[in-house]
Amino acid sequence: MSETILKPDTTFDVEELRKEFPLLSTEMNGHPIVFLDSAASSQKPQVLIDSIDHYYKNLHANVHRGVYQLSQEATHAHEEGRKRIQKFINAGSDKEIIFVRGTTEGINLVASSFGRKYLKEGDEVLISAMEHHSNIVPWQLACEQSGAQIKVIPVNDEGELIMEEFDRLLTEKTKIVSVVHVSNALGTINPVKEIIEKAHAKGVPVLVDGAQSIPHMKVDVQDLDADFYTFSGHKMFGPTGIGILYGKEKWLNEMPPYHGGGEMIKTVTFEKTTYNELPFKFEAGTPDIEGSIGIGVAAEYIEKIGQENIARYEHELLEYATEQLSQIEGLRIVGTAKNKASVVSFLIDGTHPYDVGTILDKLGIAVRTGHHCTQPLMDRFGIPGTVRASFAFYNNKADIDRLVEGVKRAAKMLR
Ligand code: PLP
């Protein structure tokens, strides 16, 4: 990142910063693109693209197995990525940073491994009504195998967790709590620190789905005291196919391996296998080396801009978008929590979200429509889905103005 983007007062120059994202200068359907779907996947800065290019041109070899220099350099770059992530989320040790494919795999790993070791008939897994399908289905699979049951913390009409219900549902039967930090469908920021404190008071570990928090705010896993925290590279300006599962060493040591294969073993005979130490015990097979390098580059990029600057700027965008969209006749925002990240989900009377999204597409505006992989949450609100605009630090007010104009046009055409 060029230093001119960072102003002396630690804010950043969004117009300069946008130039670092090549895709933001392209067109969609003959219009300069307005990209408002960063909650699904963010765009990539040139520095990330360069790091991947550099890796394949200069550094590629398999890791942890070659005695030759190139393999050792690749291993160093791969492990450097892990260290960067350890620092980024303030984990106590790099043994607690497991490379996975993304948030989905992080949750599946815990549900499967923790589930096999600790869940049995009569136990309960506590999740919330605003979970992404990837924090529901893995627990259903674990419950099918163990005979445990899922309990659900409900949400109120604003889209906030009803904490009195959480208190009531957290019992001696609860074996793990698994909740989302920031809702992808509503933008609600959940009080995960309070949830963790209360669960720990009853000896219950907590997994936090950080897919939507990591790109927008500072996360310190030790300060939160999370037992597990998982997120995806592609939503934090990094590559697809890589993600992180943070887990406290204590748990990861006790849990059985998830996948079997090379790298995760110490010794193998046909009679018995002994497992490698952390983090390798959970990393079977050749890893995503460009991904581990890339996610580290992305983390440093975010740190350079500054998570506080990002949160402050995106909050301004959120307020502006909320105010402008609210003035459109017949438009209803779904998810009006007091504490929100930069996501606006909405419906327009007499129109279907899909039709609104299709018209916006023709105008060069990329939004997400549908249930956002949160069907139970949509059922809670009695709606099939929403139109969702989600912002990153590279969006500006002009993007929002284009969205508002587009929505007005769509509403007029469809009614
Ligand atoms: N959890 C939340 C809150 C999400 O928004 C998403 C993706 O949209 C996921 C989990 C799954 O992430 P991935 O598809 O990167 O594994």
Side-chain angles (χ1 to χ4, degrees), residues 22-204:
L23 200 136
L24 296 181
S25 312
T26 62
E27 293 195 341
M28 189 168 79
N29 284 322
H31 301 273
I33 191 166
V34 170
F35 189 75
L36 299 176
D37 196 21
S38 295
S41 198
S42 63
Q43 294 305 337
K44 314 303 170 198
Q46 188 63 45
V47 63
L48 173 78
I49 300 165
D50 290 347
S51 78
I52 293 173
D53 185 61
H54 174 79
Y55 165 67
Y56 281 116
K57 284 182 181 155
N58 302 287
L59 263 186
H60 174 70
N62 212 332
V63 293
H64 296 140
R65 32 198 102 168
V67 291
Y68 54 93
Q69 188 187 350
L70 186 62
S71 170
Q72 292 191 4
E73 282 173 6
T75 303
H76 178 76
H78 174 69
E79 289 304 323
E80 200 52 36
R82 197 190 308 274
K83 290 201 176 79
R84 285 178 179 190
I85 295 298
Q86 177 198 346
K87 178 173 157 274
F88 182 61
I89 60 171
N90 192 33
S93 156
D94 60 356
K95 291 184 179 157
E96 298 179 320
I97 306 295
I98 314 287
F99 286 127
V100 289
R101 281 191 297 140
T103 310
T104 303
E105 191 174 62
I107 299 170
N108 273 280
L109 189 160
V110 178
S112 164
S113 171
F114 183 98
R116 268 182 289 144
K117 173 109 185 191
Y118 297 107
L119 293 181
K120 57 177 186 346
E121 196 154 352
D123 289 343
E124 290 176 359
V125 174
L126 189 49
I127 63 173
S128 89
M130 67 173 86
E131 298 311 319
H132 190 278
H133 295 163
S134 63
N135 199 21
I136 301 173
V137 185
W139 295 112
Q140 287 174 331
L141 296 172
C143 286
E144 260 171 35
Q145 284 199 334
S146 61
Q149 255 198 323
I150 290 179
K151 295 281 163 178
V152 183
I153 312 160
V155 301
N156 63 21
D157 290 342
E158 284 70 45
E160 297 163 324
L161 293 182
I162 304 176
M163 290 301 283
E164 296 75 30
E165 285 297 303
F166 168 68
D167 295 341
R168 198 180 61 76
L169 290 164
L170 182 69
T171 69
E172 65 287 349
K173 288 186 182 170
T174 314
K175 288 295 170 297
I176 188 163
V177 176
S178 191
V179 285
V180 71
H181 197 161
V182 172
S183 159
N184 63 310
L186 307 176
T188 311
I189 303 175
N190 286 322
V192 288
K193 195 164 176 178
E194 180 188 343
I195 289 172
I196 291 168
E197 232 171 71
K198 286 181 166 169
H200 285 180
K202 296 203 167 163
V204 178

Side-chain angles (χ1 to χ4, degrees), residues 50 92 94 124 207 250 261 274 396 406 409 414:
D50 290 347
D94 60 356
E124 290 176 359
L207 181 153
K250 165 178 95 97
T274 58
N396 57 18
R409 210 158 138 185
L414 292 167

Side-chain angles (χ1 to χ4, degrees), residues 157-160 186 188 322 333-340 381:
D157 290 342
E158 284 70 45
E160 297 163 324
L186 307 176
T188 311
T322 305
I333 292 178
V334 184
T336 50
K338 277 182 232 60
N339 207 2
K340 262 186 83 168
F381 283 95

